[in-house]
Amino acid sequence: MNIYYFGSALNLSSIYMIAGAGAAISLKSGKLNLGGEGQIYCGGFVCAVLLNFFSQFIQVQNGQFNYFIPLFVLISFIMSFFICGLQTLFCSFLQIKKKADYLFTTYILSAATIPFIDGLIAGPARSKTDNLLATPFIHKSFRFSQIMPPSALNLSFFGAILILFFFFFLIYRTAYGRKLCILGISQEFSRFAGYDIPKLYYSSSFISGGMHGLAGACAICGTYYACHSGFYTGMGWNAFSTSLLAMSNPLLILPSSIFMGFLTTYSNKFELYNNFAFDMTSLLQGTIILIISFITPKKKY
């Protein structure tokens, strides 16, 4: 087995895990966040811009470690989480106050975010030294260490697994998670039980958008090292698919993400080597997911 493609598949699955956790908590509340593509793109863009700004404040001399580096990465990740969380928080506000469809507003906001960021990358945020349609490359000190070169597999893979265990505990072992699950099954019962439904909606949507933004930030620091136009393509929908296949169970997102990562990577490889003129990856994914949906027991989220 080619170690490059094997590592690339695992690396891609780590992005699906992080974003899939965000999709799962939204599904548990009974809502569908369809804005994952734009949120991942936005998170990656915010992270790349901030790290490029912070690079002027670091000086690595004689191999000495700069203790501000992890602080700058942490700030960039928090801002990516926060800004993308605000997007879905706004969609929940429209749903609660204006009776707008959450599914529709998340999709439309994502559709508006993507060309806006494209314009920034093509204009003021574009690198002045490279020919790529992308932001400048982040400083090498901000990049995650590879664990299976020459592939981009990095330490974020293990971080993604820890995130899934945390979300499993949050959803199934806390009072907040139980209320969220009950809300997703029956809003009327939650209302009569005295749950603060707006608070549950706002918090779950904020976490959902934030996790997608965090996935985009991890993609920048671990895989691409710059926010180039279109890097998000397919990530949001595939992460959403992994959550559906896992029935919104964070622990089951682990194998479903690895499955989707290998499916995407090796179908792209097959498509490249055999010179297919159409998108075979999406065709295979759609066919397999359709088959799984027929054999999976129906279960409420």
Side-chain angles (χ1 to χ4, degrees), residues 146-218:
Q146 294 179 336
I147 57 178
M148 194 180 288
S151 72
L153 182 64
N154 54 81
L155 296 176
S156 65
F157 178 78
F158 301 105
I161 295 176
L162 292 177
I163 287 174
L164 292 180
F165 277 96
F166 170 78
F167 269 78
F168 177 82
F169 177 82
L170 176 67
I171 293 174
Y172 294 109
R173 295 294 184 269
T174 65
Y176 170 79
R178 288 192 291 271
K179 291 178 181 179
L180 200 66
C181 293
I182 292 173
L183 175 63
I185 296 173
S186 175
Q187 185 176 357
E188 290 298 322
F189 182 86
S190 300
R191 181 177 293 108
F192 285 116
Y195 295 165
D196 190 342
I197 294 178
K199 182 179 179 180
L200 291 172
Y201 274 147
Y202 284 139
S203 59
S204 61
S205 63
F206 180 77
I207 295 172
S208 178
M211 291 306 299
H212 282 88
L214 187 62
C218 288

Side-chain angles (χ1 to χ4, degrees), residues 46-68:
V46 171
C47 181
V49 170
L50 286 177
L51 289 180
N52 280 312
F53 172 76
F54 289 141
S55 63
Q56 61 184 311
F57 300 110
I58 64 171
Q59 292 180 353
V60 181
Q61 297 177 348
N62 301 324
Q64 294 181 346
F65 180 75
N66 190 316
Y67 291 96
F68 285 104

Side-chain angles (χ1 to χ4, degrees), residues 253-268:
I253 289 177
L254 175 58
S256 66
S257 294
I258 293 177
F259 167 74
M260 289 296 294
F262 274 86
L263 176 62
T264 302
T265 301
Y266 282 93
S267 58
N268 283 335

Side-chain angles (χ1 to χ4, degrees), residues 47-284:
C47 181
V49 170
L50 286 177
L51 289 180
N52 280 312
F53 172 76
F54 289 141
S55 63
Q56 61 184 311
F57 300 110
I58 64 171
Q59 292 180 353
V60 181
Q61 297 177 348
N62 301 324
Q64 294 181 346
F65 180 75
N66 190 316
Y67 291 96
F68 285 104
I69 291 175
L71 177 62
F72 291 150
V73 173
L74 178 62
I75 293 173
S76 300
F77 275 36
I78 291 175
M79 290 304 299
S80 297
F81 184 98
F82 182 75
I83 291 176
C84 294
L86 286 180
Q87 294 183 29
T88 45
L89 193 67
F90 176 68
C91 295
S92 276
F93 172 81
L94 293 177
Q95 179 192 25
I96 294 172
K97 299 298 183 180
K98 303 297 182 181
K99 306 300 180 183
D101 192 324
Y102 182 81
L103 181 150
F104 179 74
T105 53
T106 53
Y107 179 78
I108 292 298
L109 187 57
S110 173
T113 300
I114 290 172
F116 176 73
I117 296 178
D118 283 341
L120 292 176
I121 291 178
R126 185 175 182 179
S127 173
K128 303 298 189 297
T129 59
D130 301 299
N131 293 325
L132 295 174
L133 194 61
T135 62
F137 283 92
I138 62 175
H139 194 275
K140 292 183 179 180
S141 302
F142 295 135
R143 302 176 185 181
F144 293 158
S145 300
Q146 294 179 336
I147 57 178
M148 194 180 288
S151 72
L153 182 64
N154 54 81
L155 296 176
S156 65
F157 178 78
F158 301 105
I161 295 176
L162 292 177
I163 287 174
L164 292 180
F165 277 96
F166 170 78
F167 269 78
F168 177 82
F169 177 82
L170 176 67
I171 293 174
Y172 294 109
R173 295 294 184 269
T174 65
Y176 170 79
R178 288 192 291 271
K179 291 178 181 179
L180 200 66
C181 293
I182 292 173
L183 175 63
I185 296 173
S186 175
Q187 185 176 357
E188 290 298 322
F189 182 86
S190 300
R191 181 177 293 108
F192 285 116
Y195 295 165
D196 190 342
I197 294 178
K199 182 179 179 180
L200 291 172
Y201 274 147
Y202 284 139
S203 59
S204 61
S205 63
F206 180 77
I207 295 172
S208 178
M211 291 306 299
H212 282 88
L214 187 62
C218 288
I220 296 302
C221 290
T223 305
Y224 301 106
Y225 311 131
C227 182
H228 64 80
S229 181
F231 85 87
Y232 62 89
T233 303
M235 290 181 179
W237 293 114
N238 288 340
F240 185 75
S241 298
T242 61
S243 184
L244 289 177
L245 291 176
M247 296 178 290
S248 304
N249 186 324
L251 293 187
L252 295 181
I253 289 177
L254 175 58
S256 66
S257 294
I258 293 177
F259 167 74
M260 289 296 294
F262 274 86
L263 176 62
T264 302
T265 301
Y266 282 93
S267 58
N268 283 335
K269 174 187 175 183
F270 185 80
E271 180 181 335
L272 177 65
Y273 284 8
N274 292 275
N275 195 27
F276 277 88
F278 58 90
D279 188 1
M280 184 180 179
T281 305
S282 298
L283 179 62
L284 285 174

